Amino acid sequence: MRGIGRGFMSRAEFLVFGSPRIEEDDIQAVNEVLRSGWLGTGPRVKQFEADFRGYTGARYAMALNSCTAGLHLSMVVLGLKPGDEVITSPLTFCATANSIIHAGGRPVFVDINKDTLNIDPDKIEAAITPRTRAILPVHFAGRPCEMDKIMAIAKKHRLKVVEDCAHAIEAEYHGQKAGTFGDMGCFSFYVTKNVATGEGGMVITDNEEYADKIKMYGLHGMSRDAWKRFSDEGFKHYQVIFPGFKYNMMDIQAALGVSQLKKVEKFYRRRLEIWHKYNTHLAKLPLNIPAPFAPQTKHALHLYTVTLDTRQITRDKLLDALIQEKIGAGVHYTALHLHPYYRETFGHRRGDFPAAEYTADRILSLPLSAKLTEQDVDDVVSALEKTLG
Ligand SMILES: *Cc1c(COP(=O)(O)O)cnc(C)c1O
């Protein structure tokens, strides 16, 4: 028999990291779109936007084909000028910083707090210059950033705030939803994210001007409601107001989004069980488990990350050993400023952000999908015990 504490035999099947939980009603919802004949942006996108407004309490929600698109458009509508600086975390996905660059700005990294793995708010002010226009905090793994401190700094220095909520759909800070603190919040529905549409994203805001521009710039810069130009409401000519982008979401994606969003709290509760089980069993191993949840916050439980606390094995060797045991794990992330482009363009070197580098060298994400069975979770624990025990 397999299981915790017993002689562990590898699983038969590879456990794919981040595989989403897709159920019969999700499949049904997509089938209905396919049969409807309207695959592009249409009524399901409208529904998903309305549902997302309802879920977050934001006044406006604009569905797009990715969070990357949302981050890019957010930076565009802030009107960055060449050389304008945007402060962000070096422990994030490359899309966060790339979006700043695509809008003509320059990413300025500020080191993380080693416990929360979020941008260290106490280090932000030292990085502010006359060129600083915005702060782009990332709610890493789903743990909300210290938004009271970040918003106070932004107010004092008259900076805009755009929240990268790719990990943070369910996250709340002092009773308020992540994504509603700043000027805009950007969410991801990529395959591995807490709500999955395959590819997809959403920007929320309370600012009507930003909302209108994002909607328009996300569809070629065509005048409002251009997506209706082939509908039964009568042919509509559109006008191009800005050289925009092709970032609209399709109804196929939105149908999945509507169906998945209904189950967001159910999936969350399942991930919370897995989270506690990992905490219980992994605390004995030479690794650091995630910091406890801060009071009055809701962690969105997107990634369960551990940082290795041993010289006995490197993170990359541990990843290989887990793959041998048929467990797919992830790395979120290698330090962004040390990738060739950022080194060469901005002159970054090892030593610039010690906490991010320390973490990035040792961090590993364990499977945390709501799809996991008890046996899957036991197998992850056993594989770690076998390798590290
Ligand atoms: C996934 C992710 C993104 C990009 O999301 P897409 O929807 O894939 O474009 C941006 N930032 C972070 C932190 C992410 O994890």
Side-chain angles (χ1 to χ4, degrees):
M1 216 184 118
R2 293 186 293 142
I4 296 166
R6 299 170 195 272
F8 178 64
M9 303 273 293
S10 295
R11 303 160 47 88
E13 249 179 70
F14 189 75
L15 184 62
V16 178
F17 179 85
S19 181
R21 177 158 157 187
I22 300 296
E23 297 172 323
E24 222 23 71
D25 56 338
D26 299 310
I27 294 167
Q28 202 50 44
V30 174
N31 267 340
E32 277 168 28
V33 180
L34 294 174
R35 287 184 216 288
S36 80
W38 187 288
L39 310 191
T41 305
R44 267 90 177 176
V45 167
K46 275 210 135 165
Q47 180 68 49
F48 190 30
E49 290 173 337
D51 291 355
F52 210 75
R53 283 198 304 273
Y55 182 70
T56 57
R59 205 175 297 165
Y60 304 99
M62 291 72 67
L64 300 166
N65 59 12
S66 71
C67 178
T68 304
L71 290 165
H72 179 207
L73 290 180
S74 299
M75 292 296 121
V76 170
V77 304
L78 289 186
L80 296 188
K81 306 242 172 4
D84 280 354
E85 295 171 357
V86 178
I87 290 172
T88 194
S89 167
L91 192 73
T92 185
F93 186 54
C94 58
T96 315
N98 289 349
S99 68
I100 301 166
I101 296 164
H102 286 151
R106 179 189 174 95
V108 171
F109 298 112
V110 166
D111 208 357
I112 59 164
N113 173 299
K114 236 172 164 174
D115 295 321
T116 65
L117 309 186
N118 281 329
I119 193 167
D120 186 340
D122 298 333
K123 298 206 169 103
I124 291 177
E125 279 198 286
I128 294 174
T129 75
R131 302 304 312 261
T132 310
R133 291 290 315 281
I135 308 173
L136 177 33
V138 182
H139 304 292
F140 180 86
R143 183 186 301 275
C145 292
E146 289 171 75
M147 291 313 294
D148 52 356
K149 286 191 186 172
I150 291 173
M151 294 314 294
I153 295 166
K155 193 165 176 204
K156 180 170 159 199
H157 297 271
R158 296 166 178 251
L159 305 176
K160 301 292 183 187
V161 174
V162 174
E163 296 170 67
D164 183 334
C165 302
H167 301 177
I169 293 178
E170 303 90 335
E172 290 173 18
Y173 180 80
H174 296 178
Q176 189 178 334
K177 296 245 26 118
T180 64
F181 289 87
D183 297 273
M184 285 166 272
C186 303
F187 295 80
S188 174
F189 312 117
Y190 178 66
V191 196
T192 58
K193 301 284 159 69
N194 293 355
V195 168
T197 64
E199 300 283 359
M202 189 81 76
V203 181
I204 61 171
T205 183
D206 282 347
N207 181 312
E208 186 176 8
E209 184 196 330
Y210 292 153
D212 283 349
K213 282 187 173 167
I214 285 176
K215 200 77 206 161
M216 197 201 305
Y217 294 3
L219 192 60
H220 307 294
M222 297 193 297
S223 53
R224 238 189 136 112
D225 284 345
W227 63 269
K228 285 189 190 160
R229 65 197 184 280
F230 302 118
S231 80
D232 58 5
E233 290 179 24
F235 191 86
K236 287 191 174 64
H237 288 286
Y238 59 85
Q239 298 200 298
V240 176
I241 289 157
F242 178 84
F245 308 91
K246 185 67 166 71
Y247 283 166
N248 56 308
M249 180 182 274
M250 303 197 296
D251 266 21
I252 301 178
Q253 296 162 304
L256 198 45
V258 167
S259 167
Q260 287 260 306
L261 188 61
K262 283 186 193 138
K263 299 183 274 191
V264 66
E265 295 302 321
K266 178 177 99 175
F267 288 179
Y268 173 88
R269 287 194 295 275
R270 173 62 188 140
R271 293 198 311 280
L272 188 59
E273 289 171 6
I274 300 169
W275 188 281
H276 289 315
K277 192 161 182 178
Y278 281 150
N279 276 354
T280 306
H281 292 284
L282 303 183
K284 303 159 207 148
L285 297 177
L287 40 78
N288 295 308
I289 61 172
F293 304 142
Q296 292 182 279
T297 68
K298 182 174 179 183
H299 191 302
L301 313 178
H302 174 56
L303 298 172
Y304 187 97
T305 62
V306 295
T307 46
L308 267 183
D309 187 22
T310 175
R311 285 173 192 277
Q312 164 199 333
I313 186 169
T314 64
R315 187 265 318 278
D316 290 350
K317 288 250 158 53
L318 176 59
L319 267 173
D320 287 339
L322 290 176
I323 289 169
Q324 288 295 310
E325 303 295 339
K326 300 216 170 73
I327 305 292
V331 174
H332 302 90
Y333 297 91
T334 56
L336 194 53
H337 63 286
L338 297 180
H339 284 266
Y341 174 80
Y342 307 98
R343 272 183 195 261
E344 285 157 24
T345 312
F346 305 112
H348 286 305
R349 324 177 234 152
R350 190 162 272 278
D352 283 357
F353 308 107
E357 291 163 20
Y358 178 92
T359 303
D361 291 344
R362 291 166 182 78
I363 201 164
L364 185 76
S365 303
L366 302 180
L368 185 63
S369 167
K371 185 185 180 182
L372 300 186
T373 64
E374 285 311 299
Q375 187 65 62
D376 291 336
V377 181
D378 289 350
D379 288 348
V380 175
V381 171
S382 301
L384 282 166
E385 285 173 342
K386 180 173 167 185
T387 316
L388 293 172

